Structures are given as structure tokens and as C-alpha cells.
Amino acid sequence: MKKHALSLSLFSILASTHTLAIDHDLENAGQVNKFINNDLNTPAVAMQTKRFSSGSVQSETTNTITPACPTLLTGNLYTLSNSTAGDNVCYHFEITDRSKTTALLVGQSQGTNVNLSIIKHNLDNTFTAIGSSANPDNQDEVVVALTEPGHYYWFMEVVESDGAAYNFGAAVANDLDPYEFNDTLALSTVLPDRQNSITGNMDSINDVDYYQFTAVRGQDLSLSFFDGLSDEYVIEIYNNGWVPVTPNTYRIISDLQENQSINLRVSANKALPANPENNYTLNIASIVASFSNHVITGESNVNRIPYSVRKYSGPYLTTQAYRQLNWSLILKDTTGAPIEGAVAQFTFIKNVNDPQNTLTTYKVNSDSNGAISEQISLGACNPNATGIEHTEYSFGYKNEWRSDVEVGLWRIDIPTNRGLDEKDRLDTIGIGGDNVPYVYFGHICDQDLISSNPS
């Protein structure tokens, strides 16, 4: 995986409706008879609820209704002819599982203009338009809606017609990721000002997922997209047009202004069949440029073993503790501001003579202030350095001590989100590196006072 730099210009996305030009693989189900229901007449531009005056509705506890229009099946493409301007044509369909429904009206002649809505039949016998499409002239109409289990209608308002045939139908996808419904730019999933890692899927070959992230401080960002090497997805970023991003790489986005928005979209590779069981991972995160306020310490009352000691040839114990080891720091972006959701890993080897069995790693995410603060209980102490003699001066006395210590190691690694370094390792900052991999730690097991005399 390589990392690339990308400098984005300010985005100037036009406020226009996104048109889906897609093949929904609907089965041709032939001609249907025209059914008009003027009681469901709902202007396409008004997402309002109307009460239906005729028909009947059964008890809400049975979760059933009497359809106000003939029932047709989703997954089919139907043909309708002999429409007349002013007709309100209606057909019912049922949804049994939470799903995303794409209703289509296609194949209109030059002299035909029909608007399309999806209307929900509520249990209290009211009707709610949950999506509408009213393109000019004979353009195709597409309505995409998140549909909970229930009863729905294709509702077609004939604005103009020469009587020629046109087609309508609906494709239903049930394998939804947690971020649906985000199939258009206007419905983009807005990501918070923190490190974001998103797992999604393509519920069908026609699925499109839109995401938007705002660089509040104009900080440098990292963008990466991992598809499990399946090549099932296309990831794009908006930069005066949709620009493909190479998957399974890290891309650095720099030269951003404050509050500049990043728009991303993921779509299916139409050369391959969609498999909703497979997932992609999209990461957009601030570059972790630095850390501050780092404190790695034991209790405040530790009688420390100093650098100069007798009867001890081991390393200087930079960090010392009795029962608890505390570590804390603040992670910052390229502007020096704290980052929420960034990661720091504390690696702790309790006994330097037995690293395989005493190594523990702690991965912790920063809070909204960019801070990480953790306490590690040291547990049982098994000394591997004994009889260390050292001097303490306190309250006018010179105290001689003998200590037994379990010598260990620690380090902190903080992924920068820049990708891999020149040695093909995850790029990190922290405490501990190639020259000095670890900091020495002393878990003080026992301390005996040998003598105490006025100094």
C-alpha cells in the first residue's frame, strides 16, 4: 500500500438533482390495465399526509389494510398504455422487510410526461408521499426510498400523454448497511468531526453511498478505502468533478481551508455481480501530527531508585511504580488542535526476562478533548533484580534502602494515518523508536530500610 498526496481545490458542487442511470434487472411482466384513483391525488412536491375517504381499514393490531389500488409485485417491469392527461394512476405493492425501494417510470414517448411518487398506506388509513420524481418532458422518473414493512403505492400523475405505452416497476434491496439511506448527494451521510471508520456494502448493483466530511480547522486528512482486494467497489472524491481514488492505499488530502467539505461516493463495480455479504471499509481521518502533555508515572509517593545505585548493574528505571501505572497524553492534528477518536497503543512488557508471556498491549481512543488517560493495575510482583541499595534524603535524614524490583519495558505508538513509512511499516509517532525501542520500567516489589541517620 502506497501513500499519495492530493491537494483539493474548493468544491463547487452544483445544486442539481442527481440522476440515476442504472439497470435494475427487472423482469418484464407485460401489460396491466389502467387503474385510476383520484382520492390519492398528492402533489409530488408536497410530502404531506391525506386521509382516504373510501375503502376500509381493519384493526391496527392486525397490521393489515385493504389496498386502495390493484396489487402488483416488485421486481417486475410493467407496461401501461392509453393514459390521458389528468389521470392519476395507482397500483399497490407490499414490503415485508426493512428495505430500500427504487421505483422507476421509464420509456415515455416524446408526447408523454408522467410524474411518479411512492405513497405509503398508514395503519390509520392515511396516506403519506415518501418520495416523488417530477422531471420535465419525457425524462425517466426514479424514486428511491427507505421502506419499512408495510403497504405502498406507485402513484403516477399524467401531465401529458399521447396514449403511447410506458413502463414502471420497483426494485427492492433488503441487505442494507447501517448508513442507508444515502443514495444521493443531498442525502449524504454527514460524518462527525472525529476519526471515522465506516463499514458498508452494496445492497445491489445500483447502490450508491455518499459521505461528507468537513475539515473544520482546515487540517490535513487521510483517506483510505479497503475492499478486501475484491474489486467490487468504486470509490470517488469530488474535486471539480468525481475523481476515482485507488483502493487499498492511503491518500493524504492537504491545503484545505477551514470548514471545507470533502464529498465521497462509493458505488458498485458494474462489471461484477454485487454481493451484499461483502463489506468495504472507508476511513477518513485527521492526520495525527503530534502529541503533548504525556505523563507515564507510578504513584506520587514512590521512593524512587535513583540513577546512581550500589549493587545493581542494570539499566536506569525511568518509570517506577508500586501497584498502579498511569499513562496519559493528548493527540493533535496538523493545526495543533486536539483530535477525537485517534488511537494510541501502549505496549507493556512487565518482565524484561520473559517478554513472550508478560507482554500486553492497550489500544485506546482519544476523547472529545483529544485526551487519553489510562491506569494499569500491575498485579503480582515477581522480582528479577534484587538487593538494590540506594540512598534517600528526607526531612533532614539520610535513609539507606534495599529494594527488590521486577524490571520491565514500555513504549507508545500512535498511528499518524499517513499510511506506510519508507520501510513499509505503519507510520507512527510516539515514545520508543528504532534507536531506543523501549523505556525501562521498575515494578517495586519490596523496600527495606537499612539505616536512617541525620544528614
Side-chain angles (χ1 to χ4, degrees), residues 196-201 223-228 233 235 247-248 266 278-284:
N196 292 279
S197 183
I198 298 152
T199 300
N201 71 348
L223 171 64
S224 59
F225 181 87
F226 299 97
D227 62 3
Y233 314 98
I235 169 70
N248 305 302
V266 182
N278 293 341
N279 293 319
Y280 64 78
T281 301
L282 172 63
N283 302 303
I284 184 162

Side-chain angles (χ1 to χ4, degrees), residues 33-37 68-70 80 88-91:
N33 294 324
K34 181 173 66 173
F35 185 87
I36 296 176
N37 188 331
C69 306
L80 185 63
N88 293 311
V89 184
C90 167
Y91 300 94

Side-chain angles (χ1 to χ4, degrees), residues 246-264:
T246 303
N248 305 302
T249 62
Y250 290 83
R251 186 170 295 275
I252 298 171
I253 305 173
S254 57
D255 299 324
L256 298 172
Q257 297 186 16
E258 291 183 4
N259 295 312
Q260 185 168 340
S261 292
I262 310 299
N263 290 274
L264 305 167

Side-chain angles (χ1 to χ4, degrees), residues 388-436:
I388 303 172
E389 294 186 4
H390 54 99
T391 302
E392 175 208 18
Y393 293 91
S394 177
F395 298 104
Y397 282 81
K398 179 182 178 181
N399 301 316
E400 300 292 338
W401 295 87
R402 183 182 293 116
S403 298
D404 297 335
V405 179
E406 184 176 20
V407 179
L409 303 164
W410 64 263
R411 65 178 289 153
I412 294 176
D413 295 283
I414 304 165
T416 64
N417 300 315
R418 294 182 184 276
L420 304 182
D421 63 18
E422 63 278 358
K423 296 182 179 180
D424 284 336
R425 302 172 304 186
L426 191 68
D427 188 67
T428 62
I429 56 177
I431 301 174
D434 291 340
N435 295 329
V436 183

Side-chain angles (χ1 to χ4, degrees), residues 192-196 213-222 252-260 262 284-289 332-340:
D193 180 24
R194 54 162 296 142
Q195 312 295 69
N196 292 279
F213 178 84
T214 299
V216 176
R217 297 164 297 282
Q219 71 271 26
D220 290 353
L221 303 176
S222 170
I252 298 171
I253 305 173
S254 57
D255 299 324
L256 298 172
Q257 297 186 16
E258 291 183 4
N259 295 312
Q260 185 168 340
I262 310 299
I284 184 162
S286 297
I287 297 294
V288 183
K332 297 184 176 182
D333 64 22
T334 53
T335 70
I339 306 174
E340 180 180 357

